Amino acid sequence: SITVKVVNTGETPVFDLTVTDSIPEGFEVTSGELNLEAPILEAGDILSLNYTVSAKLDGAYDFPKARVEYAYMGFKFEEESNPINVKVGPLVKVEKAMSPMKVKVGEEVTIQIRVKNLGKNVRIENLKVVDFAPLYLKVVEGSPQAVIPSLPPGEEKAISYRVKPSQAGSFPILYPTATYIFNGREVTFRPGGTITLEVVEALKTPTLMEQILGYITSLIVYIIVVVVAVVAARFIIKRLRSKPAAEELV
């Protein structure tokens, strides 16, 4: 946001004011205007030209002087502002991925964070990456926080850690933040939205005693089936043998 202020420090009004500003190449005006006109500026009053710009590239830029033209006692006058230097920090791309994205309770998930300096001219120093591990995700390896000492323009770094979910469900996971200090100010980036981790109940592994009881139960069932089959077979055979004898007696 840029403000050009014109102050009438005299004791009488001035007339027909025109304030004109300009911006360096690589910037564009996102709101407001670079020109302002006013028919009169009373003694002690302030006339302000306000606009906002965005930079296409990172770096340090010298802004030209703003100009004001005005009339007094039938004569034209012109004044210039002080020059300003604007420093623009680079953008940071933040990505997050999980593998696998569907697990059982107690299985490990690898979370990877990637950050990239999208700038062309400025190196990022001490980039702090902070991820958010919910309470139901226990960190078992690595850390969800890291500081990258230096990230040159165009380069990318990755950090990773492993977690275990403690309960089943469908959980939205937030993206991390990436923060650095530039020109005395804290600059933070975090993508919107979430990614989802699907966690299902793990199958219970039977104990040794449960396995033995299961084996014994299966064996008993098998013996019963065999006995029933033998008894049924004997009954059928007996019936088949007794039927011709009955027919001879008739």
Side-chain angles (χ1 to χ4, degrees):
S1 178
I2 296 177
T3 299
V4 179
K5 289 185 178 181
V6 179
V7 183
N8 185 351
T9 58
E11 297 180 354
T12 57
V14 293
F15 304 92
D16 300 328
L17 295 98
T18 300
V19 183
T20 305
D21 202 5
S22 59
I23 57 178
E25 184 178 355
F27 283 79
E28 62 181 3
V29 177
T30 56
S31 67
E33 300 287 342
L34 295 177
N35 301 284
L36 178 65
E37 295 182 353
I40 185 172
L41 183 64
E42 296 288 350
D45 284 354
I46 299 174
L47 180 64
S48 295
L49 170 65
N50 301 290
Y51 63 94
T52 58
V53 296
S54 64
K56 298 178 181 178
L57 290 176
D58 56 315
Y61 298 88
D62 291 320
F63 273 62
K65 297 178 181 180
R67 299 171 56 190
V68 57
E69 296 178 350
Y70 63 94
Y72 177 71
M73 300 289 291
F75 295 96
K76 289 286 186 178
F77 296 89
E78 182 179 309
E79 299 288 346
E80 291 184 336
S81 71
N82 57 295
I84 60 173
N85 181 268
V86 175
K87 295 180 179 179
V88 180
L91 299 176
V92 176
K93 183 180 180 180
V94 184
E95 296 180 316
K96 181 175 184 177
M98 293 188 300
S99 179
M101 297 186 68
K102 184 174 183 179
V103 295
K104 297 176 183 178
V105 173
E107 290 184 339
E108 291 189 1
V109 178
T110 299
I111 297 177
Q112 186 179 75
I113 311 299
R114 304 187 71 87
V115 291
K116 182 177 182 180
N117 182 348
L118 297 179
K120 301 293 184 182
N121 305 301
V122 178
R123 177 189 298 267
I124 298 175
E125 305 291 344
N126 298 319
L127 179 64
K128 185 177 181 180
V129 181
V130 178
D131 200 12
F132 304 91
L135 296 176
Y136 49 80
L137 293 180
K138 180 182 178 182
V139 179
V140 295
E141 183 181 326
S143 172
Q145 300 185 19
V147 175
I148 299 173
S150 179
L151 190 61
E155 290 198 9
E156 184 178 68
K157 298 287 185 181
I159 63 171
S160 62
Y161 63 99
R162 297 177 68 83
V163 297
K164 280 185 179 180
S166 59
Q167 63 188 70
S170 180
F171 304 108
I173 310 297
L174 295 175
Y175 280 86
T177 61
T179 303
Y180 67 93
I181 303 299
F182 183 77
N183 201 28
R185 297 177 61 184
E186 189 175 86
V187 183
T188 300
F189 299 87
R190 183 169 78 180
T194 59
I195 53 178
T196 301
L197 175 64
E198 298 288 344
V199 184
V200 298
E201 292 287 355
L203 296 177
K204 183 180 178 182
T205 303
T207 63
L208 179 61
M209 183 58 67
E210 290 174 336
Q211 293 179 18
I212 294 173
L213 290 176
Y215 174 76
I216 293 174
T217 301
S218 299
L219 182 60
I220 292 174
V221 172
Y222 174 76
I223 293 173
I224 292 174
V225 171
V226 171
V227 170
V228 170
V230 170
V231 171
R234 288 182 176 180
F235 177 76
I236 293 172
I237 293 171
K238 184 177 180 181
R239 290 283 295 177
L240 291 174
R241 287 178 178 178
S242 61
K243 187 174 181 180
E247 290 177 350
E248 289 178 1
L249 290 174
V250 175

